[in-house]
């Protein structure tokens, strides 16, 4: 699956909806046993959640948007397929979550790329299931530090922390992902799927049995004046940087 | 305690029953404060659960067998004694579980030996308490990868992942284990025992309060036609390899 | 905050009470966003709980003392401020707990200094919330080994295990802590505080909703004849060593 949402694969409501539909189709397609996520754009895997969906759009829109974010994660983290992230660019915030939700992560070894859950830097907070997904991958201490500081890891630091599994030269990201996929697909599907589901069930249940509470919490938080102001300043800064 | 079950210390019902009785005796013997587990056979610590006990024997036998597997783990993981694995050979599946359930693991640094929970490779699934025991030792991410892929680690990879604590030349495995035992026994018994029990209680309770549910789940799974077929093919492959 | 309790910053009832009051004041002071903990004495950060408070003083005193120990930890681990430990000396037992409860740990790289929860060596047991705090920092396996053996880590082993975040020459401990504080304070307070609280809430709730049970357990344990005897022998040994 190749992300084609210029300029930076922001996860807009449209992006998330299309992603969930694609995942559902693949999940039901018995001839499809695995999926590689990668970007069709240069330098960026995904810039994460589209902030314009959360800024000045009112509580109803925020709720609809947040359900789509939840759906993306539930579909990906709970997928029966082998999921591999071929991270061929920077991957902040929601982009990092997407990578963390896969079974295996290969990143382009480019010193200009970074990856991490940097929400605190924008004045917002990674929700508990972002936190759990990171905790399941790099452990409690590293997660606590990463989330409090909003760390964006360089590729080598990401490898050291266990945020990605492998670094390869940029032009080899996809072929390495394809080789890794072959290895994962050599395992009998039913054993692998039951094992994966046993490992992830508790984390998934925590959200899936509390989706509306989580939506309400998000809407209440994101519509606060102080948070809207933070987001507004961030968007202004992005605009300036572009110009 | 030296395993002497040629050719590969398979954990048959007899093996497991004898193990549980021995552990119970040692536990009650106040002069015995620690036990070193090792193999009396060349090249193998233990090949894990005896598959012939699970193949074509019917649900009653499967239930009896599974209770014995549970008993082995509960006795070992919950032991008040210091338990050290002197891993002088390969240690797949149930053999790996046994090592993981000890307090300390020393492995012979022999490139032909491997260790891991490779159940998925055989088309079966490590039950939740195998998973928990590995998770408690090497953390969530490494466990997820190891169990999904059925990884058999080389000795150096096992050390790196924390699956074993120490690698030593083969002829020094037992003397190193004896030295480690002296160190562990220098700690006041009651403090060490309370500490160990506090650390492992939650994991042990999860099984001990759900033994029959776990037995029923196992019996239902292992008696499935598809699983019996997988096991049959595996046994045929083993026979061929021997010949 | 500089500890000035000669000779070794033992956590007496007075020390703990003063610490809790100071933390409360700082917490309420809106101009104070972070605190660095360090020692004003040479060679020692803190020697941990004052054993004379637990020896031969009766159950009432033990209960009062234990509530003060709980209070110290709840105030520190649950602080809204950025908390940094500038560990300029050895830091056994309660001293290690204090360091582990901060957000970041910088230790003087001096081969004579050590750090760890060594309770089992004295014939006592680290309570569950010491255990949880260590587990949250260095993971389950390392914690199990460290607590069973009562390990005191050398500075380099402490860094390797993740017990401290950074080693620096002794004269640079405070300046490094100040630099780290600046970095942590560059994060928007409210995002950082919510994130920290989400990460630590479960661990804190486990104690704060069971304080009196924990007090009763401690009093019953510490007033046992066998434990009092262990503590008496340890105090006699300390006296001899001093003389």
């Amino acid at each position: 699956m190749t992300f084609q949402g210029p300029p930076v694969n922001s996860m807009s409501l449209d992006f998330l909806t299309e992603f969930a539909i694609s995942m559902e189709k693949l999940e039901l397609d018995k001839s499809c046993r695995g999926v590689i996520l990668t970007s069709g754009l240069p330098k960026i895997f995904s810039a994460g959640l589209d902030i314009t969906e959360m800024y000045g759009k009112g509580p109803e829109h925020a709720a609809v948007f947040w359900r789509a974010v939840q759906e993306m994660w539930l579909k990906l983290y709970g997928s029966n397929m082998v999921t591999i992230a071929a991270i061929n660019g920077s991957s902040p915030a929601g982009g990092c979550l997407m990578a963390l939700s896969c079974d295996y992560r290969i990143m382009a070894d480019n010193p200009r790329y970074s990856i991490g859950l940097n929400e605190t830097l924008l004045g917002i907070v990674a929700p508990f299931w972002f936190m759990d997904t990171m905790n399941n991958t790099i452990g409690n201490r590293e997660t606590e530090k990463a989330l409090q500081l909003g760390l964006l890891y360089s590729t080598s630091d990401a490898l050291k922390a266990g945020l990605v599994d492998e670094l390869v030269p940029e032009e080899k990201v996809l072929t390495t992902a394809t080789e890794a996929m072959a290895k994962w697909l050599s395992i009998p599907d039913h054993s692998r799927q039951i094992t994966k589901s046993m490992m992830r069930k508790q984390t998934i249940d925590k959200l899936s049995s509390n989706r509306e509470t989580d939506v309400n919490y998000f809407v209440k938080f994101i519509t606060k004046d102080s948070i809207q102001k933070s987001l507004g300043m961030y968007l202004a800064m992005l605009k300036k940087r572009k110009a």
Side-chain angles (χ1 to χ4, degrees), chain A:
Chain A
M1 194 185 296
T2 305
F3 305 141
Q4 290 281 10
V8 290
N9 289 326
S10 281
M11 297 177 187
S12 63
L13 184 52
D14 282 350
F15 181 102
L16 292 166
T17 309
E18 206 182 321
F19 178 81
I21 293 173
S22 303
M23 283 298 287
E24 198 159 337
K25 271 189 200 158
L26 295 174
E27 208 76 51
L28 294 170
D29 177 352
K30 290 201 170 169
S31 71
C32 178
R33 300 168 56 217
V35 59
I36 294 171
L37 304 185
T38 196
S39 166
L41 307 179
K43 297 183 202 164
I44 191 86
F45 179 68
S46 161
L49 303 186
D50 185 343
I51 291 170
T52 64
E53 301 276 11
M54 303 185 264
Y55 180 66
K57 294 257 173 91
E60 287 78 18
H61 187 81
V64 170
F65 178 63
W66 198 247
R67 277 184 211 109
V69 180
Q70 293 178 338
E71 198 63 30
M72 173 271 285
W73 180 75
L74 289 169
K75 287 255 184 321
L76 185 56
Y77 199 61
S79 173
N80 265 325
M81 295 182 286
V82 173
T83 53
I84 293 183
I87 313 166
N88 52 351
S90 279
S91 197
C96 176
L97 176 73
M98 215 173 219
L100 286 173
S101 303
C102 290
D103 292 315
Y104 198 72
R105 285 160 286 285
I106 295 150
M107 190 164 185
D109 193 6
N110 185 324
R112 288 171 311 163
Y113 297 166
S114 64
I115 183 169
L117 295 177
N118 58 328
E119 278 78 356
T120 51
L121 290 184
L122 321 188
I124 55 176
V125 175
F128 74 86
W129 37 287
F130 283 51
M131 203 170 265
D132 291 345
T133 309
M134 184 176 248
N135 202 331
N136 286 348
T137 311
I138 62 171
N140 188 81
R141 168 57 187 158
E142 190 70 26
T143 299
E144 197 181 90
K145 206 174 54 183
L147 291 185
Q148 284 205 60
L149 293 173
L151 287 185
L152 284 172
Y153 291 77
S154 69
T155 54
S156 59
D157 285 349
L159 182 68
K160 225 167 89 184
L163 208 54
V164 300
D165 295 300
E166 229 177 303
L167 294 181
V168 299
E170 188 141 13
E171 65 278 14
K172 293 200 174 161
V173 170
L174 260 184
T175 52
T176 309
T178 311
E179 285 159 21
M181 182 58 81
K183 185 179 162 194
W184 283 72
L185 289 180
S186 72
I187 311 298
D189 273 343
H190 73 281
S191 310
R192 187 191 50 70
Q193 288 167 356
I194 297 174
T195 301
K196 180 173 178 177
S197 153
M198 284 171 72
M199 291 293 299
R200 299 191 170 189
K201 189 176 185 320
Q202 206 183 354
T203 304
I204 287 174
D205 285 354
K206 231 169 107 184
L207 178 63
S208 60
S209 62
N210 287 292
R211 287 185 68 168
E212 282 310 297
T213 312
D214 184 59
V215 167
N216 293 338
Y217 183 87
F218 171 76
V219 170
K220 208 177 143 185
F221 180 82
I222 209 73
T223 54
K224 273 185 194 166
D225 284 349
S226 58
I227 301 300
Q228 284 291 310
K229 206 179 135 190
S230 288
L231 295 180
M233 279 165 55
Y234 185 70
L235 283 171
M237 190 268 282
L238 284 183
K239 241 182 212 168
K240 231 190 222 163
R241 201 197 283 173
K242 229 186 275 176

